[in-house]
Amino acid sequence: MLAKKPPMGWNSWNTFGENINEQLILEITDILIEKGYKEAGYEYVVIDDCWALRERDKNGRLVPNPEKFPHGMKYIADYIHGKGLKFGMYSCAGVLTCAGYPSSYDHEYTDATTFAEWNVDYLKYDFCNFPKSGNCINAYLTMSLALRSCGRDILFAACNWGVQEPWQWMRSVGAHIYRSTGDIFDNYNSVKDIMLSQEKNFSMSAPGCFNDIDMLIVGMYGKGLVGVKDGCTDDEYKTHFVLWCLFGAPLMMGGDIRSVNDYSEKLMLNKELIRINQDEECRPPVILNSYNDDTNDNTTRKYFKILSDNEYILAFINYDDNPKDISAYFAEMGIPYSSEMGLEMTDIFTGEKLGMVRDFIRKTVPAHDCIVFKGALIHA
Ligand code: GAL
């Protein structure tokens, strides 16, 4: 079974756009090993849009642009596989990709065979230029079956930006992850809007098929080639990464990991956070008090996540532009005072041990920042 856990890796789009080539992909592959990303769980190296020639060949096959990829795609696959990693590519359900390259509408089985021949392990499948007469669900079902019958295990990363509520049907059509939102940009509001638009849709995100809220912008600091390039602060990247981990979203890095700064590198390699993302039970967090007034205004959140092995995560997120006091009663987390139980809590970032905490906790959280505790449930 593919995608037992949220997939992890790197994708070329956010930082490099059309500016991709063989050397870049090989260098990224090397860095994944050298900097410890592979060891931390990052596995897929994905080439996004703009890798192909503008025309198919005379047999109707997609052709890599020889100026960008002089040795072809199988060469890259072999290199990546030689390092113990996996290789991802990109196509689209429409008649042209978003950047105007040939796309897989009505070529699904041919293209799946081509990707299998190139030893591809992952296919991101976009939704631009989709014919008005086409049927979106059927298009993803068709490519899903084409991949399932191509003779190779290829993870199907569907990317239809949330059209027709994919959380309702992408699991049925066989996708392993599905993009549920428009593109993320290197900007705090983009992170916040994407997260808040999807936080209630994660109930269907589970082993075999995960909700994908787009690539990580951690560490880009405005250096990407596509979209809004405001950049974020370290705290904002931290909150972004914490949210993706809490919700079990795929962790596909979008920054230039060859030159990312220390703060962001450590963040993306944070073992505690990755463990939360990869927990085998893959449960989305409870949104505490989500029907009370204090959390309906989208300024703060308290997320409570059950992990396997009697471990629990309590995260205070301050989405607001000002510092906020955030508090939680343990009864909200299913631990009333009368139970004589409490959480033995540790702050994941500072390492501060709070000891056994019961009844109530309150913290001041700086703007756009978060506090994350882990804890075991024990007798008082
Ligand atoms: C968008 C997609 C992006 C990227 C881009 C490539 O539709 O959401 O993640 O793949 O196309 O052109």
Side-chain angles (χ1 to χ4, degrees):
M1 175 179 150
L2 291 171
K4 280 193 191 136
K5 308 260 180 85
M8 297 172 65
W10 177 88
N11 174 298
S12 61
W13 183 251
N14 289 357
T15 294
F16 297 98
E18 64 176 357
N19 218 350
I20 46 173
N21 58 56
E22 177 182 294
Q23 195 191 342
L24 169 71
I25 301 303
L26 303 192
E27 284 178 19
I28 292 288
T29 304
D30 291 345
I31 287 289
L32 285 166
I33 315 277
E34 280 165 31
K35 301 267 186 176
Y37 291 107
K38 178 187 173 210
E39 210 192 320
Y42 296 93
E43 183 178 27
Y44 291 98
V45 183
V46 181
I47 301 176
D48 208 284
D49 203 353
C50 308
W51 58 266
L53 283 181
R54 297 271 176 192
E55 301 290 338
R56 290 174 179 268
D57 71 10
K58 59 180 184 336
N59 301 316
R61 297 285 188 120
L62 294 167
V63 188
N65 180 334
E67 279 173 22
K68 293 178 176 173
F69 297 101
H71 299 97
M73 290 304 176
K74 193 157 178 307
Y75 174 85
I76 292 191
D78 287 347
Y79 189 87
I80 291 172
H81 291 151
K83 304 277 178 175
L85 293 165
K86 292 186 172 159
F87 177 38
M89 287 196 68
Y90 166 99
S91 188
C92 176
V95 292
L96 291 173
T97 72
C98 301
Y101 293 84
S103 183
S104 297
Y105 185 78
D106 213 18
H107 295 272
E108 292 88 348
Y109 282 80
T110 308
D111 292 351
T113 303
T114 304
F115 291 128
E117 284 171 8
W118 292 343
N119 289 344
V120 168
D121 306 296
Y122 176 116
L123 180 69
K124 174 171 170 180
Y125 202 54
D126 217 335
F127 196 54
C128 279
N129 302 305
F130 191 69
K132 291 231 165 16
S133 56
N135 174 308
C136 168
I137 298 176
N138 181 263
Y140 282 91
L141 176 61
T142 305
M143 187 46 112
S144 169
L145 296 194
L147 291 173
R148 278 163 194 266
S149 59
C150 74
R152 190 173 168 83
D153 277 344
I154 300 185
L155 188 149
F156 186 28
C159 171
N160 87 331
W161 323 311
V163 173
Q164 283 186 243
E165 305 192 330
W167 43 93
Q168 307 278 10
W169 50 270
M170 277 292 192
R171 175 173 287 275
S172 302
V173 304
H176 297 103
I177 66 176
Y178 54 90
R179 266 278 299 286
S180 51
T181 71
D183 289 16
I184 196 165
F185 295 123
D186 187 12
N187 153 290
Y188 172 71
N189 281 327
S190 169
V191 169
K192 173 181 169 180
D193 292 349
I194 282 179
M195 186 68 250
L196 290 173
S197 78
Q198 284 305 305
E199 63 177 358
K200 291 192 175 146
N201 289 339
F202 272 84
S203 55
M204 296 293 287
S205 189
C209 185
F210 291 96
N211 189 331
D212 171 11
I213 44 180
D214 209 356
M215 275 85 80
L216 297 167
I217 53 157
V218 176
M220 289 179 60
Y221 300 98
K223 289 188 211 129
L225 288 183
V226 295
V228 181
K229 300 160 204 158
D230 298 341
C232 293
T233 64
D234 289 345
D235 286 347
E236 290 168 347
Y237 286 135
K238 170 186 162 196
T239 301
H240 163 42
F241 193 69
V242 161
L243 289 166
W244 267 231
C245 287
L246 280 176
F247 280 82
L251 299 179
M252 302 299 293
M253 299 180 287
D256 186 349
I257 54 173
R258 299 169 305 176
S259 58
V260 75
N261 74 5
D262 260 17
Y263 181 89
S264 289
E265 189 177 301
K266 286 208 182 88
L267 181 63
M268 293 188 288
L269 289 171
N270 184 311
K271 289 206 169 80
E272 293 274 15
L273 295 174
I274 292 174
R275 202 167 55 83
I276 294 169
N277 177 271
Q278 298 282 299
D279 184 75
E280 61 186 1
E281 294 197 25
C282 298
R283 298 185 189 279
V286 179
I287 307 167
L288 295 181
N289 243 347
S290 53
Y291 300 105
N292 285 4
D293 289 344
D294 61 342
T295 49
N296 271 350
D297 62 3
N298 285 346
T299 57
T300 63
R301 280 291 185 276
K302 307 173 253 187
Y303 295 122
F304 180 66
K305 183 174 169 90
I306 301 176
L307 299 179
S308 44
D309 297 330
N310 188 35
E311 208 185 341
Y312 301 88
I313 303 294
L314 174 63
F316 288 165
I317 311 285
N318 182 5
Y319 287 112
D320 198 45
D321 299 338
N322 298 299
K324 289 267 174 182
D325 284 345
I326 308 183
S327 52
Y329 279 101
F330 277 55
E332 299 174 53
M333 299 180 244
I335 315 170
Y337 195 71
S338 59
S339 67
E340 298 187 3
M341 303 287 282
L343 289 177
E344 180 136 293
M345 295 173 86
T346 306
D347 181 317
I348 279 186
F349 284 100
T350 65
E352 184 198 350
K353 292 196 187 311
L354 279 64
M356 148 73 106
V357 188
R358 299 175 66 195
D359 195 26
F360 182 74
I361 181 166
R362 180 204 301 270
K363 294 283 167 190
T364 305
V365 187
H368 302 181
D369 202 349
C370 61
I371 300 182
V372 187
F373 302 104
K374 62 175 178 179
L377 181 59
I378 54 171
H379 279 281

